[in-house]
Amino acid sequence: MGTRQRRPTGRPRGFDADEALDRAMRVFWEHGYEGASLTTLTDAMGISSTSMYAAFGNKEELFRKALERYTEGPSAYLARALEEPTALGVATAILTGTIRTTTRPTGPHGCLGVQGALATSDASHAARDLLVTWRDSGYSRVRERFGRAVDDGDLPPETDPALLARYVTTLAYGIAVQAASGVGRDELQDMVDAALLTWPPC
């Protein structure tokens, strides 16, 4: 008697998970957490709701994964900016990176991390809390970088790293809101140039 051939335990996915996640990210970026219905998400991803749940979990988990993809992709300029050799270079790179990302001609305007859950019901509090944590993490990284700049003498010793980090991140989030409202790249850059004129002298 021949050996019975073992059947595979599951069918291979019939879609590209990375591409589907990129499409979900764009939906959340454009419509926010609550505005992105499951139908809109699955239509954009090109998969059924069953496939979505199997591959990504529920909507909240999909949003979490989409935010991770956003951090590693469109928002990766923050990590690169923190490697700039001067604090002014860090701030400039953060703000110009924000302008580029929030005014891309081929993508949604604004910032997923700012607008994704600004107006959510109590049922969506997890998504709102996730974005609060995301924004706080970015602020903390900038604050730590400015703290090192003070220690290194790149910023005056009387500089408050926390206040300066809050200034830069608040300006960046304001850029995102203005970009989502249709303010153009040139006008936003002019605003950044004016804001950085007040940078603490070495």
Side-chain angles (χ1 to χ4, degrees):
M1 180 181 295
T3 302
R4 178 179 297 174
Q5 185 176 3
R6 179 175 296 177
R7 298 182 61 186
T9 56
R11 296 176 57 191
R13 287 180 185 158
F15 65 94
D16 185 319
D18 286 336
E19 182 178 347
L21 185 56
D22 280 338
R23 292 177 178 179
M25 178 191 72
R26 290 174 64 90
V27 171
F28 283 126
W29 190 350
E30 183 173 0
H31 299 285
Y33 181 79
E34 283 192 343
S37 68
L38 286 177
T39 299
T40 303
L41 285 165
T42 53
D43 285 350
M45 297 165 77
I47 60 177
S48 67
S49 58
T50 301
S51 294
M52 189 201 81
Y53 284 118
F56 302 106
N58 59 21
K59 182 182 178 182
E60 180 184 324
E61 285 302 310
L62 176 62
F63 183 68
R64 185 184 303 274
K65 291 180 174 67
L67 184 60
E68 291 173 357
R69 179 58 60 91
Y70 181 81
T71 303
E72 296 166 357
S75 191
Y77 64 85
L78 175 60
R80 294 191 296 269
L82 295 175
E83 300 298 322
E84 290 288 329
T86 67
L88 177 57
V90 170
T92 301
I94 289 173
L95 297 174
T96 56
T98 302
I99 292 173
R100 284 195 310 271
T101 300
T102 59
T103 60
R104 298 192 313 172
T106 59
H109 286 184
C111 171
L112 170 60
V114 174
Q115 297 161 243
L118 285 181
T120 55
S121 64
D122 290 340
S124 301
H125 67 88
R128 182 178 61 241
D129 293 346
L130 176 64
L131 288 182
V132 169
T133 300
W134 184 85
R135 291 191 295 270
D136 285 346
S137 174
Y139 157 75
S140 296
R141 294 168 69 189
V142 177
R143 182 193 64 207
E144 291 169 5
R145 177 63 182 82
F146 287 166
R148 294 198 302 273
V150 173
D151 294 340
D152 294 342
D154 178 45
L155 285 171
E158 67 274 12
T159 302
D160 183 344
L163 180 60
L164 191 58
R166 190 66 73 187
Y167 173 73
V168 171
T169 53
T170 299
L171 188 56
Y173 298 147
I175 289 170
V177 172
Q178 292 295 313
S181 301
V183 177
R185 181 173 293 190
D186 290 344
E187 185 175 350
L188 292 172
Q189 185 62 56
D190 287 343
M191 182 268 294
V192 166
D193 293 343
L196 292 179
L197 289 175
T198 64
W199 193 255
C202 297

